[in-house]
Amino acid sequence: MKLYQYLLDAAGEVPYNIALEFMGHKFPFSYVAEEAKKIAAGLVELGVQPQDSVGVMLPNLPQFPPLHYGTMMAGCVFVPMNVMLQGDEVEYLIRDSDIKVVVTYELFVDQVNEGIKNLENPPHVFVVGENVGGHKPLAELQRDATNFEPVVVDDDLPVMRLYTSGTTGKPKGAQITNANVIANLSMTEKVFPVHPGDKTLCVLPLFHCYALNGVLNGSIRHRTTVVLHPRFEVEACIKSMAEDGITTFAGVPTMYFNMLKPPLIREVESPRLRHGISGGAAMPVEVLSQWEEVTGRPIDEGYGLTETTVSVSINRPEKRKVGSIGRPYPGVEVKIVDDKGNEVPQGEVGELAIRAANVMLGYLNKPKATAAAIKDGGFHTGD
């Protein structure tokens, strides 16, 4: 099964079910699928080849999901780009991934222009918004998709390239396959049951693996709704949980902390909210305890990495050790090893090594870094 096929199947079988809500607008599966097909048809007509890279530098906007799925339908590699990237960082990603097309938002055109000014063969640039900065609007990329058939690529080839933060050197492009993402979705659904009519509130940036693979791809696969906010704003987030039928909130610890400041979440009823999910950093025990006391809803704290598509383990209330990363998802094998790769005795400190179907292929253009990270049959996290 291809990731995009979940969207196409949903569009054919439940076309009017809502895939995406954004600022009062509702987008059914049929609409998102049709927009994605138009993007794919446009990329093919533009001459973009299978396994070419398409960079998307957008905030949380309704155009993001169709670009994500449309890129994969064209057989290309989706490269989400952090909207905070500056010109030299944009240039690095374009060069490293040999990006052929960039889609950006009008507010970030200057950063893209700075990033492409020194390139011998700059990518095609399309812009969402009115101020296109000398480039073409996104609508000019879209083409009639009446007879379009997706370009099929092997499951073991990358469908997305997720760049690490680059805190210890240049960012590294983790090569993520269709099979990686499917494996990750299959792991998480064994732990988190999905109910018809579920809605996940997404204030996390879609250009990050947590929101992209943990929220968007999972919701599309399960035919549930993503309630997308442009950014995290405390009042808007709490209001949405109270009024939009939210069943799951996905956030990072600082979001929970800020929502706990009185009177805020204490004053609001969120009748359908079942739980919160936290990731991206360690959840302070005090924040977790206070949230659960105030709301009566549990926080499921997860651990994962860009290189593992998103998730590795989950600390759920029914089997929880507060302050830990919890238990591995089904299908994830975890060991604590020493510098030589040998498993350390119980109670001793070592490095977390992971063997699982959601571990990346490796880092693009970085064979030494790949060999250092993936060895002895497992991924060495550095943690």
Side-chain angles (χ1 to χ4, degrees):
M1 176 69 82
K2 304 296 184 183
L3 273 173
Y4 59 74
Q5 196 62 49
Y6 293 122
L7 175 61
L8 296 177
D9 288 350
E13 296 168 20
V14 288
Y16 304 113
N17 284 18
I18 303 302
L20 185 69
E21 294 184 11
F22 180 81
M23 298 184 70
H25 299 281
K26 297 184 178 182
F27 303 90
F29 282 95
S30 55
Y31 173 85
V32 178
E34 189 59 31
E35 291 296 291
K37 288 166 64 178
K38 290 177 182 177
I39 294 291
L43 288 171
V44 171
E45 185 173 317
L46 194 63
V48 181
Q49 299 298 307
Q51 286 295 286
D52 280 348
S53 300
V54 176
V56 173
M57 190 173 173
L58 289 181
N60 285 4
L61 292 172
Q63 291 87 350
F64 197 109
L67 282 160
H68 171 52
Y69 292 106
T71 296
M72 291 188 289
M73 287 182 199
C76 299
V77 179
F78 182 74
V79 184
M81 301 168 68
N82 191 321
V83 298
M84 301 300 290
L85 294 176
Q86 298 305 303
D88 59 332
E89 297 167 313
V90 171
E91 179 179 349
Y92 169 77
L93 257 65
I94 292 174
R95 287 187 184 276
D96 192 55
S97 274
D98 192 18
I99 291 174
K100 304 299 186 183
V101 177
V102 172
V103 180
T104 191
Y105 186 51
E106 60 182 358
L107 294 181
F108 312 122
V109 170
D110 288 346
Q111 290 140 262
V112 172
N113 283 342
E114 184 68 19
I116 66 175
K117 69 179 184 181
N118 296 319
L119 299 178
E120 303 80 13
N121 297 297
H124 300 275
V125 177
F126 297 89
V127 180
V128 175
E130 296 181 1
N131 180 22
V132 297
H135 303 292
K136 295 178 179 179
L138 177 61
E140 292 198 24
L141 174 60
Q142 297 176 301
R143 290 292 183 266
D144 177 71
T146 304
N147 298 312
F148 178 79
E149 293 293 334
V151 178
V152 179
V153 298
D154 191 275
D155 268 1
D156 293 325
L157 291 174
V159 295
M160 61 181 74
R161 189 168 299 123
L162 307 177
Y163 276 85
T164 60
S165 60
T167 52
T168 56
K170 291 286 189 183
K172 299 187 288 290
Q175 302 267 62
I176 305 297
T177 69
N178 187 85
N180 288 153
V181 184
I182 299 294
N184 215 137
L185 296 177
S186 298
M187 291 171 190
T188 56
E189 70 183 19
K190 291 176 181 176
V191 175
F192 293 105
V194 178
H195 306 293
D198 274 355
K199 288 185 174 185
T200 301
L201 176 56
C202 183
V203 298
L204 298 160
L206 285 173
F207 56 71
H208 191 274
C209 68
Y210 184 0
L212 180 64
N213 290 326
V215 177
L216 178 63
N217 282 324
S219 296
I220 293 295
R221 169 165 157 146
H222 298 126
R223 303 179 181 185
T224 57
T225 303
V226 176
V227 179
L228 187 65
H229 285 208
R231 66 189 68 82
F232 173 66
E233 294 179 345
V234 172
E235 292 82 359
C237 192
I238 294 173
K239 184 174 186 289
S240 186
M241 280 193 275
E243 299 178 2
D244 294 335
I246 302 300
T247 55
T248 301
F249 171 69
V252 296
T254 54
M255 294 176 179
Y256 289 94
F257 173 78
N258 284 318
M259 286 191 289
L260 282 168
K261 294 178 180 178
L264 303 181
I265 195 70
R266 300 171 182 270
E267 306 268 328
V268 175
E269 288 292 327
S270 303
R272 294 196 65 212
L273 185 67
R274 289 203 304 274
H275 66 140
I277 298 175
S278 181
M283 169 65 75
V285 174
E286 298 82 2
V287 175
L288 181 144
S289 299
Q290 189 178 3
W291 175 272
E292 294 186 348
E293 179 184 350
V294 168
T295 66
R297 308 305 201 278
I299 292 178
D300 298 313
E301 184 179 5
Y303 167 78
L305 306 96
T306 302
E307 292 90 341
T308 60
T309 308
V310 58
S311 302
V312 170
S313 66
I314 192 73
N315 204 10
R316 300 210 70 190
E318 63 268 22
K319 294 181 179 180
R320 180 161 68 185
K321 182 178 180 181
V322 175
S324 78
I325 64 170
R327 296 170 181 264
Y329 278 106
V332 177
E333 180 184 336
V334 174
K335 290 184 178 180
I336 310 299
V337 299
D338 60 21
D339 291 341
K340 296 181 180 179
N342 299 313
E343 192 167 0
V344 302
Q346 183 77 18
E348 291 194 12
V349 176
E351 181 185 12
L352 193 67
I354 298 163
R355 190 197 311 268
N358 57 329
V359 171
M360 66 172 182
L361 286 175
Y363 297 116
L364 178 71
N365 300 328
K366 291 181 170 54
K368 290 184 179 179
T370 299
I374 303 177
K375 54 188 176 182
D376 307 317
F379 171 65
H380 290 242
T381 64
D383 293 335

